[in-house]
Amino acid sequence: MNRKFFNLSIVLALLLTVVGVASAQDVTVRYALWDTNQLPAYEECATAFEAANPGIDIAIEQLGWDDYWTAITTGFVTGDTPDVFTNHLAKYPEFVALEQLVDIEPMVERDGVDTEIYLEGLAPLWTRDGARYGLPKDWDTVAVVYNAAMLEAAGVDPAELDELTWNPEDGGTFQEMVARLTLDANGNNGLSDEFDSENVVQFGFLYPGSGGFAGQTEWSAFAATTGWHHTGGEVWGEQYFYDDERFINSIDWYFGLNLDYGYAPTLAEVQGLGQLAMFQAQQGALAIDGSWMIGSYLGSDFEVGFARLPIGPEGRKSMFNGLADSIWVGTDHVEESWEWVKFLGSAECQLIVGNTGVVFPATPEGVEASLQVRADAGIDVSAFTEQALEENGTFLFPITDFGGEIATIMTETMDSIALGEAEAADALPAANAEINELFE
Amino acid sequence: MQQASKAPPRSSLLDFVTNNQVVLGYLFILPSLIGFILFYAYPAIRAVGISFLEWNLLSDPEFVGLANYEEIFADERFWRSLRITLWYVAWNIPLQTALAIFFAVMLDKFSTALSTIMRSVMILPWLMPNVIVALLWLWILDPSIGIANVLLNTVGIPQQDFLGNPDQAIGWIAAINIWRHAGYNAILVYAGLKTIPKSLYSAADIDGANGWTKFWRITLPLLRPVLVFVLVTSVIGSFQVFDTIAVTTDGGPAGATRVIMFYIIDQVFNRRISMGTATAASVVLFTILISVTIIQMRFLQADQSDLADYS
Amino acid sequence: MTSPTQTQSTKQDTNVNSSFRRFFSRLTWGDAVVFVILIMLLVSILFPFWWVLRTALTSPNKVFTDTSSLLPVEATIFNFERVLGLVDPSEIVGTESTNISAGTINFWIFMRNSFIFSLLITVGQTVFSTMAAYAFARFKFPFRDQIFFAYLTGLMVPGIVLFIPNFVTIRELGLIGTMAGLVAPFFLMTPFAVFFMRQFFLNLNRDIEEAATLDGATKFGIFWRISLPLIQGPILTLAILTFIQSWNEYLWPLLVGRDESIRVLTVALAIFRQQTPQGAPDWAGLMAGTTVAIIPTVAIFIFFGRKVVDSIQFSGFK
C-alpha cells in the first residue's frame, strides 16, 4: 500500500514537474520592421538572442513602408500590434500622445543599461519628461551624391565637392559648381552666356521634392547652416519658426535654382518617380540624400560617389535622424519584449547589423563595422559618418506634437512655393501662424 | 381511371414553403441579410454614433454632440476636398460610361472570335490590382523619364507635367481610373446588351431604321437597368477614390488631389485616430451619396424595365 | 480537265474571296472611323501591359537606364526567379545592394491562398446574392423595398467606416488569421452583387413565368427551373467579376491575413513596393510579380468568357 502510494506520488511529482516546465513554455515575441534589406541582419540577431534566451522566440514580421504605419496604428485599436516594433522620430510623438508605448526607463534603471554607448544625442531623443520610449538602433545623416562620369566630363575633381561654400544670397561656390554641371542641349553649361535654361539636358542639382515640414533631404542642410532650426533647437517644442528671415531666404535660394536659373528640375519633374529615379536615369549630376539610400544609389548603372555637404555660414549641418525599437503597451509579454529590446540596443546586436553594411548602427563599433564593409567593397561613405561625428555637425529632426497637421500644412505651402505659385515671404509666415495656433 | 393531368399532390407544408412568396422571400434573403446586418448595418450605425463622440478608440469616449460636425464644416480643407472630389467625378463618370457603352456596342458588332479577343483585351486593365495600375501610370506619365512624354515629343507636343500640374492632376487621376474601369463596365453593359432580343433589331431593319436610330430607340432604352447599375456603382466608387491618389500624388501637388477620402483617412491616421471627425465626415459623404443615388434612380426610372413589359 | 481536288480548292477560294468582298462592301466611312478609334483604344490598353512586361524583363539596376527604350534593357529572367521564390535573399543583400527588395516569397503557397480566398467568396456571394436578388425582383413580402434600399445604402457607406468595426467583429469571433475570418465580410453578400443580379432578374420576361404558374409550378419551381437557367450569363459574369475582384483585394487581407498560411498574393507582392521612406519601389520585381499574378485571372476570364457569350444568346427564345 505504502509502496504504491509512494510510486504514485513519484509519478505525480514527475508529471507536475514536466507540466510545470511545459507551462513555462516558449514565449513568442513579435517584432516588426520595414526594410527587407535589413531582414537578414535582424534574423541573425534573433538567432543569437534565442540562443542566449531559451524560452523566448522572436517572430520577425516585415511590412513595407507604405503599409507599416497603417498596420501599426490599426493594430493599436484592434489589439494586433506587434510586441516590439521599429519606431521613427516622425511618428513616435503621436504614439506617445496615444499612450501606446511602454516607458522603459524603469527597466533601464533596474537592469543598469548603459545609455552612453550610443552616438551622442541619440538616446535623449527617445525620452520625454523623464520617460523613455526606445533604445537607439541606428541613425542617418545626409550627404551629397554625385555622378562620377558627369563630374569627369566637366573636369571636376570629386575632392573639390568637399570644399564648396554656400550662403543664402548667391549660393556661394556651391551654386557655381551646380551651374558648371548643368548642361543645355547645345553643351553650354550654366556659367556660360549662351546657356539656354529652357533646354536643359543635364541638371546640376536634383532634389526630392518640396520638403514638407522637415526638409530632411531637401533644404534642411542649407537652412540649418544659417543658424536656423525648425523649432529653434527645442525638443518637444511648442513653437515653429518658419517665418524666420533666414529660413525664407534659404527657401528662396533653394527653389530659385529651378525657378530662377534652371539648374534644377521643376517640382512636377521630381515629384513623380523621385530623385533616385531621375539620378539613375542620368538627368542630374548632384543630389542630396540620406544614408539609408546608399545601397540604392550604388545600384546605379554608373559610378557614384558621396561627398560632404557644402560649408554654410555656420559650417556644415545635417539633419540627424534615428530609429529605435519600442514596446507596445498592449503586449502580453512585457518582460520578454524588454529583453529583446535590450538586446537590440546592445553593442553585440548592433555589431551584427553593422557587419552587413546596410545601415549605420547607433553604437560606434557598429558604425566602424559598417564603414569597413563598404570600404572592403571599395566604397567611401565617410561623408555620412564624418558629418555625424563632427562637433555641431548635426541638428535634430523636429519632434513636436501635432505632427500630422503640421505636415499637411507645410507640404501644401512648400509645394506652392516650389511651383512658383506662392512667394515664400508671404506663404511661410501665414503657414507658421497656422501651425503655432495648434499649440494654443 | 383518369389520371390527374397535373403534378401529384404535395404535402401542404412543402406546398406552403415552395409557393408562399413571403416565406420564400425571407428565406431567400436570409443569408444576405445576416451578412448585411453583421458587416454593413452594424458598423455603419456604430459609425454614426461615433460621430457624436470624441474618441480615439483607445481611451474613453467623450460625448460632444454636434461638435465634430461643426469642426469639419468650419475646416476649409473639408470643403476643398469635397470640391476636388466633385471635380473628379465630373471628369470620370461621363467619359467612362460613354466609353463603356461604345466598347459594348462594338463587341456586339464583331464576330464571336474577334469579340472574345477584344473582350479579353478590354478587361486586362481591370485584372491588375488598383495599386499596381497607379504605380504603372505614375511611371508612364512621369514628366522627365516617362514614356508618355517621349512619345508625345516624337509628334512634336512639348513636355507635359501630367500628375505634377496642380490644375490637371485630378483629371489625370480620372484618366487612370477610366483606363482601369472602362473595360469592366463595358463587360457589364455587354451582358445587358445580350439580353436584348435580336428580333427587335430585325423588326427595326424591316422598318428601315439606320444604326444610329436603332441605338437611340432600342438599345439605350432597353439597357436602362444595366446602365442604371453601371452609373450608380461608378458614381459611388468614384466618390471614394483613394488608392490611385495615395500611390501617385499623395494628395499633391499643393493639395490639388486631396479628395474627401483623403480627408477622412487623414483624420484617422494623422490626427491621433480622431474617429469622431472621421466618422462625421463619412456620414456627410454617405448622405451625399444617398442623395445622388436617389436622384439618379428616380431620374432614370430604375425600377422599370422596358424589356420585361415587352411582349 | 482539272482534277477533283483542284476543283475543290478553287471552290473554297471563291467562297473565301466572296465573303471577304461581302465584308468589305458593307463597310462605310462610319465603320472605318469607328475601327480606327477602336484600334487606338486597344493600343492604349495594351501598351501599358507591354511596359509591365518590358520592365519585368529588365535587370533591376538598369530600370532607369535608357527609359525611352521600348525594349527591355539587359533582358533577364532574374526578376521572375525572385518572384517565384527561387532566389536566396542573401544573394541580394550586401554592399552590392541594388534598389531591389531582398524579400522572397513563397509564391505557390500564396497563389493557392489567393485561389481559395477568391473561390470561397465567389461561390458564397454568387449563390446567396442571386437568391436574395431574385426575392427582391420577383417575390412580394413585407418591407421588401425598404430592405433592398437598405442594401443599396450599404453600397454607399465609405469602406473606411466598415473597416475597423469589421476587424473587431472578426477578432471577437476569434477568427483573425483564419481563412474563415478572411472571407467573412464578403461571403454572404455584397450590396453590389444583389443589386447587379436584381437588375437582370427584373429584365426577364414575365410571360414564361405566368405560363408556368398556370401549369402548376410553385414559386420556387419557377425560380429553380425557369429564371435561374435564363440568367446563367449574368450569373457567370458576376462570378467572374467577383473572383477577379477578390483576387485583387489588398487592404483587408493585409490586416487580417498576415499569417503565411493564409496570406494572399497581393499582400505577398507588397514586398516589392516601397521599402523605405523616400525609397523607390523595386520596379522590376513588382512588374514581374504583377505579370505572374494576373496570369490566372486572364486565364479564367478567357476560358469562362466564351461561356458567357454562349449562354446568354437570346435569339432562340421567341
Side-chain angles (χ1 to χ4, degrees):
Chain A
M1 229 15 174
N2 276 344
R3 198 100 180 274
K4 262 204 185 146
F5 183 82
F6 185 62
N7 287 344
L8 204 56
S9 38
I10 296 273
V11 171
L12 217 56
L14 279 171
L15 266 172
L16 281 172
T17 323
V18 169
V19 168
V21 165
S23 63
Q25 229 354 291
D26 282 15
V27 165
T28 305
V29 170
R30 288 169 58 206
Y31 176 57
L33 47 77
W34 58 77
D35 191 355
T36 49
N37 287 316
Q38 294 182 42
L39 201 49
Y42 285 102
E43 277 170 353
E44 219 185 299
C45 275
T47 315
F49 176 80
E50 285 167 351
N53 292 278
I56 309 181
D57 285 333
I58 305 293
I60 303 184
E61 299 172 11
Q62 182 270 335
L63 277 172
W65 179 258
D66 286 331
D67 303 316
Y68 191 81
W69 302 106
T70 311
I72 298 282
T73 310
T74 313
F76 290 157
V77 172
T78 58
D80 206 41
T81 300
D83 305 292
V84 181
F85 61 91
T86 310
N87 213 344
H88 187 284
L89 280 178
K91 297 287 180 179
Y92 114 90
E94 308 255 304
F95 295 161
V96 169
L98 287 170
E99 295 170 3
Q100 294 296 301
L101 302 179
V102 169
D103 174 15
I104 58 175
E105 184 62 18
M107 296 182 268
V108 164
E109 280 172 10
R110 181 197 72 190
D111 292 357
V113 172
D114 184 6
T115 57
E116 302 294 310
I117 63 170
Y118 310 108
L119 253 58
E120 201 184 315
L122 281 177
L125 291 178
W126 295 93
T127 63
R128 184 176 199 185
D129 298 332
R132 185 184 300 272
Y133 298 106
L135 291 177
K137 169 192 169 82
D138 55 51
W139 55 267
D140 49 70
T141 53
V142 304
V144 173
V145 190
Y146 61 83
N147 181 324
M150 288 181 181
L151 254 55
E152 205 180 308
V156 174
D157 179 0
E160 284 178 57
L161 293 178
D162 292 336
E163 306 297 320
L164 297 174
T165 63
W166 176 83
N167 65 70
E169 283 80 43
D170 60 28
T173 55
F174 182 78
Q175 183 166 326
E176 269 175 40
M177 178 62 73
V178 167
R180 199 164 146 200
L181 292 167
T182 309
L183 298 174
D184 67 15
N186 297 320
N188 298 318
N189 70 22
L191 296 169
S192 134
D193 292 328
E194 282 138 54
F195 176 66
D196 178 8
S197 61
E198 302 288 314
N199 271 313
V200 176
V201 296
Q202 174 183 308
F203 292 104
F205 186 68
L206 296 175
Y207 61 101
S210 69
F213 79 104
Q216 183 176 13
T217 51
E218 291 86 1
W219 32 259
S220 68
F222 296 103
T225 62
T226 63
W228 171 88
H229 183 265
H230 312 67
T231 56
E234 291 278 321
V235 184
W236 299 110
E238 306 224 325
Q239 194 184 11
Y240 275 84
F241 297 95
Y242 294 119
D243 55 351
D244 189 311
E245 188 84 34
R246 298 168 292 182
F247 181 64
I248 295 178
N249 290 337
S250 307
I251 294 299
D252 273 335
W253 172 84
Y254 187 76
F255 294 121
L257 281 181
N258 160 236
L259 296 170
D260 300 328
Y261 298 102
Y263 300 151
T266 63
L267 185 69
E269 285 171 315
V270 299
Q271 243 180 4
L273 295 174
Q275 175 172 268
L276 176 69
M278 283 192 81
F279 186 83
Q280 292 192 324
Q282 305 206 44
Q283 305 265 307
L286 303 176
I288 291 181
D289 217 327
S291 53
W292 67 90
M293 295 293 290
I294 290 177
S296 303
Y297 279 98
L298 291 175
S300 304
D301 198 26
F302 45 86
E303 198 192 324
V304 304
F306 302 101
R308 303 295 307 271
L309 293 167
I311 305 166
E314 293 191 13
R316 295 190 173 101
K317 303 258 184 211
S318 162
M319 185 173 281
F320 200 39
N321 189 18
L323 300 181
D325 297 302
S326 299
I327 307 176
W328 178 46
V329 137
T331 175
D332 291 327
H333 313 291
V334 181
E335 270 309 312
E336 289 83 354
S337 301
W338 163 241
E339 290 300 317
W340 174 233
V341 167
K342 209 167 42 167
F343 185 71
L344 285 169
S346 71
E348 185 188 340
C349 176
Q350 305 221 351
L351 194 57
I352 295 176
V353 172
N355 278 328
T356 62
V358 178
V359 282
F360 296 127
T363 56
E365 304 84 43
V367 175
E368 277 305 310
S370 194
L371 269 177
Q372 191 60 46
V373 173
R374 294 281 186 203
D376 289 342
I379 301 159
D380 177 16
V381 295
S382 58
F384 295 97
T385 52
E386 276 175 37
Q387 194 63 44
L389 300 169
E390 199 174 272
E391 183 94 22
N392 288 325
T394 60
F395 57 95
L396 295 177
F397 195 98
I399 306 171
T400 65
D401 289 324
F402 308 113
E405 289 91 330
I406 297 172
T408 307
I409 296 170
M410 283 309 284
T411 305
E412 282 178 25
T413 311
M414 296 305 276
D415 274 359
S416 298
I417 299 174
L419 285 168
E421 293 186 352
E423 285 293 320
D426 301 321
L428 285 173
N432 201 57
E434 202 185 335
I435 288 173
N436 285 336
E437 255 174 44
L438 293 167
F439 291 96
E440 278 150 29
Chain B
M1 265 293 218
Q2 267 192 326
Q3 287 238 291
S5 56
K6 306 218 194 106
R10 295 177 273 255
S11 76
S12 53
L13 181 62
L14 195 62
D15 190 22
F16 178 70
V17 167
T18 54
N19 216 9
N20 185 308
Q21 283 191 71
V22 176
V23 171
L24 276 179
Y26 280 116
L27 222 53
F28 270 35
I29 68 171
L30 193 61
S32 65
L33 203 54
I34 297 175
F36 176 71
I37 293 176
L38 257 185
F39 298 110
Y40 285 90
Y42 165 66
I45 295 174
R46 261 197 105 188
V48 176
I50 296 176
S51 73
F52 296 117
L53 306 171
E54 191 177 300
W55 195 25
N56 64 13
L57 297 178
L58 298 168
S59 37
D60 293 327
E62 190 192 316
F63 182 77
V64 291
L66 292 173
N68 291 323
Y69 289 94
E70 282 167 11
E71 193 182 319
I72 62 174
F73 288 148
D75 189 351
E76 165 61 31
R77 291 214 165 79
F78 173 73
W79 295 110
R80 191 174 180 213
S81 69
L82 282 178
R83 277 199 305 273
I84 294 175
T85 311
L86 276 171
W87 201 226
Y88 170 76
V89 174
W91 272 112
N92 194 11
I93 298 300
L95 222 53
Q96 203 185 106
T97 315
L99 264 178
I101 298 177
F102 177 75
F103 272 139
V105 171
M106 286 306 114
L107 273 182
D108 206 24
K109 267 188 190 277
F110 289 109
S111 71
T112 320
L114 194 55
S115 179
T116 312
I117 297 174
M118 276 184 51
R119 219 175 30 240
S120 309
V121 168
M122 262 166 38
I123 200 71
L124 277 178
W126 191 69
L127 297 180
M128 288 208 283
N130 225 352
V131 167
I132 308 281
V133 168
L135 281 173
L136 179 63
W137 280 100
L138 180 67
W139 193 357
I140 293 180
L141 293 178
D142 187 82
S144 50
I145 62 180
I147 196 76
N149 267 329
V150 170
L151 295 175
L152 286 179
N153 275 339
T154 54
V155 289
I157 302 176
Q159 175 172 311
Q160 297 291 307
D161 282 341
F162 299 117
L163 295 164
N165 181 329
D167 300 319
Q168 295 178 6
I170 200 70
W172 288 108
I173 301 283
I176 294 175
N177 273 307
I178 291 175
W179 183 83
R180 183 165 190 258
H181 289 108
Y184 167 83
N185 284 319
I187 303 290
L188 297 182
V189 176
Y190 180 69
L193 266 182
K194 278 299 185 191
T195 62
I196 300 177
K198 292 274 182 265
S199 51
L200 288 176
Y201 291 113
S202 321
D205 275 335
I206 293 174
D207 285 343
N210 68 10
W212 216 215
T213 317
K214 282 192 283 190
F215 179 71
W216 278 113
R217 293 290 185 80
I218 301 178
T219 315
L220 268 191
L222 291 179
L223 272 180
R224 202 201 332 256
V226 174
L227 276 184
V228 165
F229 176 76
V230 165
L231 273 171
V232 168
T233 51
S234 313
V235 167
I236 291 175
S238 288
F239 267 94
Q240 299 184 49
V241 65
F242 180 71
D243 278 347
T244 311
I245 298 179
V247 163
T248 52
T249 58
D250 201 22
T257 54
R258 289 189 82 95
V259 292
I260 186 67
M261 283 302 290
F262 242 85
Y263 185 84
I264 294 173
I265 293 202
D266 199 47
Q267 298 298 310
V268 177
F269 290 103
N270 284 332
R271 300 275 186 273
R272 295 162 298 286
I273 314 184
S274 170
M275 288 308 285
T277 45
T279 47
S282 305
V283 167
V284 173
L285 177 61
F286 180 51
T287 315
I288 294 177
L289 286 175
I290 291 191
S291 319
V292 168
T293 304
I294 292 181
I295 294 174
Q296 273 185 300
M297 292 188 72
R298 283 282 160 77
F299 186 68
L300 298 167
Q301 293 165 298
D303 283 344
Q304 296 174 13
S305 168
D306 296 342
L307 199 57
D309 297 333
Y310 170 73
S311 318
Chain C
M1 272 275 247
T2 51
S3 66
T5 39
Q6 269 190 315
T7 321
Q8 262 191 325
S9 50
T10 321
K11 245 192 160 169
Q12 281 174 339
D13 286 338
T14 319
N15 279 340
V16 171
N17 275 338
S18 59
S19 53
F20 262 129
R21 232 182 285 137
R22 262 184 285 136
F23 178 69
F24 277 112
S25 65
R26 288 221 200 118
L27 285 185
T28 62
W29 274 118
D31 279 345
V33 167
V34 162
F35 197 64
V36 166
I37 296 180
L38 209 55
I39 295 292
M40 274 170 43
L41 287 169
L42 286 179
V43 166
S44 64
I45 290 176
L46 289 174
F47 181 75
F49 279 91
W50 169 245
W51 204 247
V52 170
L53 202 57
R54 169 219 183 267
T55 311
L57 291 169
T58 302
S59 293
N61 54 352
K62 296 273 183 193
V63 151
F64 292 119
T65 315
D66 201 8
T67 53
S68 51
S69 160
L70 292 176
L71 291 175
V73 184
E74 203 173 285
T76 172
I77 58 168
F78 181 56
N79 301 312
F80 286 100
E81 287 172 348
R82 284 191 293 134
V83 167
L84 295 174
L86 301 171
V87 171
D88 191 337
S90 53
E91 282 180 42
I92 301 174
V93 177
T95 50
E96 287 92 54
S97 212
T98 58
N99 41 337
I100 65 178
S101 165
T104 58
I105 60 177
N106 213 333
F107 181 76
W108 300 106
I109 294 192
F110 298 140
M111 169 88 87
R112 176 206 75 183
N113 291 338
S114 281
F115 253 119
I116 297 176
F117 176 70
S118 305
L119 206 60
L120 279 175
I121 292 180
T122 302
V123 168
Q125 244 185 63
T126 311
V127 168
F128 297 124
S129 297
T130 305
M131 281 166 55
Y134 186 76
F136 287 122
R138 284 292 188 257
F139 294 148
K140 289 193 183 30
F141 50 92
F143 300 120
R144 179 192 71 175
D145 292 331
Q146 288 84 340
I147 298 181
F148 180 69
F149 188 71
Y151 279 21
L152 256 194
T153 58
L155 250 182
M156 296 170 241
V157 179
I160 181 76
V161 153
L162 302 176
F163 205 74
I164 291 188
N166 281 342
F167 192 107
V168 173
T169 305
I170 298 294
R171 191 163 71 98
E172 281 162 10
L173 292 172
L175 292 175
I176 298 277
T178 64
M179 186 56 85
L182 205 51
V183 304
F186 310 102
F187 185 69
L188 293 172
M189 66 94 79
T190 57
F192 175 91
V194 176
F195 188 12
F196 179 77
M197 292 310 298
R198 176 179 176 266
Q199 298 304 95
F200 285 101
F201 279 125
L202 281 180
N203 243 6
L204 287 183
N205 194 299
R206 290 182 200 268
D207 286 354
I208 305 191
E209 296 167 28
E210 281 164 27
T213 313
L214 287 176
D215 276 344
T218 62
K219 295 244 180 290
F220 182 80
I222 294 178
F223 167 71
W224 190 249
R225 276 187 228 134
I226 295 174
S227 313
L228 215 46
L230 280 178
I231 216 84
Q232 267 178 61
I235 288 185
L236 204 51
T237 308
L238 178 68
I240 297 173
L241 295 179
T242 307
F243 187 88
I244 295 173
Q245 185 139 32
S246 314
W247 187 265
N248 288 331
E249 197 63 45
Y250 179 65
L251 198 54
W252 178 256
L254 177 72
L255 293 176
V256 178
R258 286 225 289 268
D259 195 71
E260 269 222 11
S261 63
I262 60 167
R263 189 182 309 170
V264 298
L265 211 49
T266 43
V267 175
L269 289 177
I271 56 163
F272 292 119
R273 285 179 60 195
Q274 191 173 358
Q275 293 301 308
T276 53
Q278 291 167 333
D282 175 1
W283 290 102
L286 193 59
M287 294 298 137
T290 304
T291 310
V292 170
I294 67 174
I295 288 176
T297 47
V298 172
I300 286 190
F301 188 78
I302 292 181
F303 179 67
F304 285 105
R306 308 208 60 193
K307 296 210 168 163
V308 174
V309 181
D310 295 343
S311 61
I312 56 176
Q313 290 293 0
F314 224 89
S315 44
F317 174 61
K318 269 297 175 187

